Amino acid sequence: KKMQNGLLFLRLWLQLVSLSALYQPTFLRFLSSVSVSNNKQMNQLRCNEKLTKMDDIPSWIDIDSLLKSQESTDERLEFDLQLNGRGGSNHRANIRLFDAPDNFEPEITFYRDSAAWCPYCEKVWLQLEEKRIPYRVEKVPLRCYGSKPAQFMRMNPSGGLPVAVIRGSTMSESNDIMMRIERDFPSYNPLLPPKGSKDFDRVAPLMKLERQAFSTWFQWMTSRSDQGRDMDAVLRLVDAALASSGGPYFLGPQLSLVDLLFTPFLERMAASLPYFKGFQARTPQYPNLLRWYEAMDGRPAYQGIKSDYYTHCQDLPPQIGPCPLLPAAAPFQARIDGADWAVSVSAGACFEPMLPLCEHTASRTAVRNLLLNHAAVAAFCTRAASLAAGRTGGTVSAPLADPNTPPEPSLVPVVDSALRWISLSLLQKPEEPLQIERSSAKQLAACLLYLRDRIGVPRDMTVHAARQLRAHINLFLDSHRLR
């Protein structure tokens, strides 16, 4: 009997083993799903995750696929070329090869500021791009938002930017660098007219006029008095100089080094004078100057270098000191500070000229940049929580720069979900709003506002892409009633 019972037990045991082997994949899938579910729940608890529809949001891989289905072949090719040192001008490049072979070693190393705020760096950068001379890039922070590396300080004890190492020779004054580049690389799109020509004789007076315009602008920017008449007078001189050349550039129909010398501060005048003084430089009141602005906007080399009004108005005071506001500036300040960052506002209706006007291309550019670095962007956003808690790690003089503020890892998942929603809304009709617990809404809103207000142009993306991203961050905030 004991033997029969033992055999019966053995038979039952073998049947169970057989069944378990038969259904093992199902069990494993079930256990796996339970494990994943539990892990998600633990992560949600651990991270204070409050987005209950998180799993409904497509992944970054899905968003990338959607982007590729919408973009043109030329768009994708341009992006890939930029990642390899070719294509159009862009801030993230560490080497620019243009038409040189892949193994080419550039003869110029260009040191410029990490945030692309410095006007003196900008004109050298623009020259290199217009001439298409291969060069390497080293990025160094300005003092107002960081400390310069010891190696750079040994090379240039003054700490000033830009610096260029040209064929082994180190130079640190922007105009000297530009003249040296023209002299040493004459076969690369010469930007100075031949010596002894009529146009060459105009270069020195125009350079003097550029300094006069700069001085008038700088003095007014840092003054509490209304110096609009002085500014108007010097801009009329600039307009007359452009008229006498026949335009659209300072020496006529072709871009020259003179235009590159004028570009940084005429660009900053167009942004800062309305914002701080209620005075417009880019207006039909100066028709030839307006034509110059529009001609520059159309240049491919400039489109990846040009900043936007908002970035300039935030980065100027840390560099030049307080810029007192005049009452007439209030309506312009509101537009530049975000009134135009709405999906309901077309590019053509913005106060800041948005040329060219293809908003879909700009939206795809914004998504492409987010895809390239979405994990770092999500972590960057969460600095808002650390900042609110006083965990800054030391401040710098630029109010929108917090290089020492650590991220708050517990908020990364919820911010990442919001960024995916925003990316999708840039590519197609906005998704259904997420269900957000009120207890976490304030932190999420602070993180997204932190990002919106710190998108730097051209550091992070182009003028047009930045406006689209800021507008769609606002769309998220409004759709979820977070502001």
Side-chain angles (χ1 to χ4, degrees), residues 65-371:
S65 297
L66 179 61
L67 171 65
K68 288 176 179 175
S69 73
Q70 294 183 7
E71 66 187 357
S72 68
T73 303
D74 288 344
E75 283 180 70
R76 174 54 54 174
L77 177 61
E78 172 64 18
F79 182 68
D80 291 341
L81 287 171
Q82 288 183 9
L83 293 178
N84 292 284
R86 304 183 190 278
S89 59
N90 66 93
H91 172 77
R92 61 179 166 268
N94 292 318
I95 187 171
R96 296 289 282 148
L97 293 172
F98 301 108
D99 303 317
D102 290 340
N103 60 352
F104 185 84
E105 184 56 40
E107 296 181 283
I108 298 175
T109 299
F110 175 42
Y111 292 80
R112 61 177 176 83
D113 71 298
S114 307
W117 289 0
C118 173
Y120 302 102
C121 295
E122 181 182 1
K123 57 185 176 180
V124 178
W125 185 9
L126 185 54
Q127 180 192 25
L128 290 168
E129 291 291 327
E130 286 287 354
K131 292 178 75 68
R132 298 177 63 82
I133 302 174
Y135 65 98
R136 290 193 176 275
V137 184
E138 296 288 343
K139 296 166 190 170
V140 180
L142 294 176
R143 289 190 178 92
C144 61
Y145 62 81
S147 300
K148 291 180 169 60
Q151 181 182 357
F152 178 80
M153 294 302 296
R154 286 193 293 272
M155 179 179 63
N156 183 34
S158 73
L161 289 167
V163 168
V165 179
I166 304 173
R167 293 173 173 168
S169 176
T170 302
M171 307 185 69
S172 60
E173 293 293 332
S174 58
N175 283 9
D176 292 343
I177 293 170
M178 295 175 82
M179 293 301 178
R180 171 72 181 273
I181 289 171
E182 287 301 312
R183 188 192 75 191
D184 284 12
F185 299 87
S187 63
Y188 289 87
N189 184 25
L191 294 173
L192 278 176
K195 288 185 178 181
S197 67
K198 182 179 178 181
D199 281 341
F200 185 85
D201 293 340
R202 298 186 63 215
V203 171
L206 286 169
M207 291 176 66
K208 184 177 179 181
L209 175 60
E210 188 275 333
R211 288 292 82 191
Q212 181 183 352
F214 163 78
S215 297
T216 304
W217 167 78
F218 185 87
Q219 183 175 344
W220 192 15
M221 285 295 295
T222 55
S223 172
R224 295 186 179 278
S225 62
D226 188 346
Q227 301 176 19
R229 289 185 178 181
D230 295 337
M231 195 74 244
D232 174 68
V234 77
L235 289 181
R236 290 189 183 279
L237 292 175
V238 172
D239 192 71
L242 286 162
S244 68
S245 75
Y249 303 110
F250 280 94
L251 294 183
Q254 299 298 321
L255 183 87
S256 74
L257 200 71
V258 175
D259 298 288
L260 309 189
L261 295 172
F262 270 93
T263 294
F265 290 109
L266 285 179
E267 179 185 315
R268 284 156 179 76
M269 288 176 201
S272 61
L273 287 173
Y275 188 90
F276 292 102
K277 309 301 179 184
F279 181 101
Q280 295 187 69
R282 185 168 176 159
T283 170
Q285 184 176 348
Y286 312 108
N288 299 289
L289 179 55
L290 178 60
R291 186 182 174 205
W292 179 88
Y293 277 121
E294 292 174 349
M296 290 299 299
D297 281 348
R299 300 196 68 84
Y302 184 48
Q303 289 170 5
I305 294 174
K306 178 187 177 184
S307 188
D308 69 343
Y309 286 8
Y310 175 79
T311 302
H312 279 318
C313 293
Q314 299 301 322
D315 72 43
L316 278 170
Q319 296 179 79
I320 68 175
C323 300
L325 290 163
L326 292 181
F332 299 106
Q333 189 176 18
R335 298 288 296 276
I336 293 170
D337 275 345
D340 288 341
W341 300 344
V343 294
S344 59
V345 178
S346 68
C350 293
F351 170 65
E352 178 178 3
M354 288 285 155
L355 302 174
L357 299 178
C358 183
E359 297 185 25
H360 295 300
T361 301
S363 293
R364 289 192 292 270
T365 301
V367 173
R368 209 173 284 114
N369 281 276
L370 281 174
L371 281 164

Side-chain angles (χ1 to χ4, degrees), residues 45-64:
L45 291 172
R46 193 176 296 116
C47 302
N48 295 319
E49 176 59 82
K50 301 296 183 181
L51 289 178
T52 60
K53 292 178 64 179
M54 176 178 171
D55 291 341
D56 293 339
I57 310 170
S59 69
W60 288 110
I61 293 174
D62 295 329
I63 294 169
D64 185 45

Side-chain angles (χ1 to χ4, degrees), residues 365-423:
T365 301
V367 173
R368 209 173 284 114
N369 281 276
L370 281 174
L371 281 164
L372 191 66
N373 212 20
H374 61 84
V377 173
F380 175 84
C381 293
T382 68
R383 288 183 179 186
S386 299
L387 194 63
R391 299 191 299 273
T392 62
T395 58
V396 292
S397 61
L400 295 185
D402 306 308
N404 303 312
T405 301
E408 175 47 64
S410 68
L411 292 173
V412 169
V414 67
V415 171
D416 181 79
S417 298
L419 290 175
R420 282 184 280 136
W421 189 100
I422 291 165
S423 297

Side-chain angles (χ1 to χ4, degrees), residues 7-75:
L7 289 171
L8 178 63
F9 177 81
L10 180 61
R11 233 181 349 256
L12 289 170
W13 183 80
L14 288 171
Q15 287 176 351
L16 284 172
V17 170
S18 176
L19 285 170
S20 68
L22 178 64
Y23 290 102
Q24 187 177 30
T26 303
F27 293 154
L28 289 177
R29 283 198 297 271
F30 173 74
L31 291 173
S32 176
S33 66
V34 170
S35 176
V36 169
S37 176
N38 287 339
N39 284 340
K40 284 184 178 178
Q41 290 175 9
M42 291 301 294
N43 285 337
Q44 287 173 350
L45 291 172
R46 193 176 296 116
C47 302
N48 295 319
E49 176 59 82
K50 301 296 183 181
L51 289 178
T52 60
K53 292 178 64 179
M54 176 178 171
D55 291 341
D56 293 339
I57 310 170
S59 69
W60 288 110
I61 293 174
D62 295 329
I63 294 169
D64 185 45
S65 297
L66 179 61
L67 171 65
K68 288 176 179 175
S69 73
Q70 294 183 7
E71 66 187 357
S72 68
T73 303
D74 288 344
E75 283 180 70

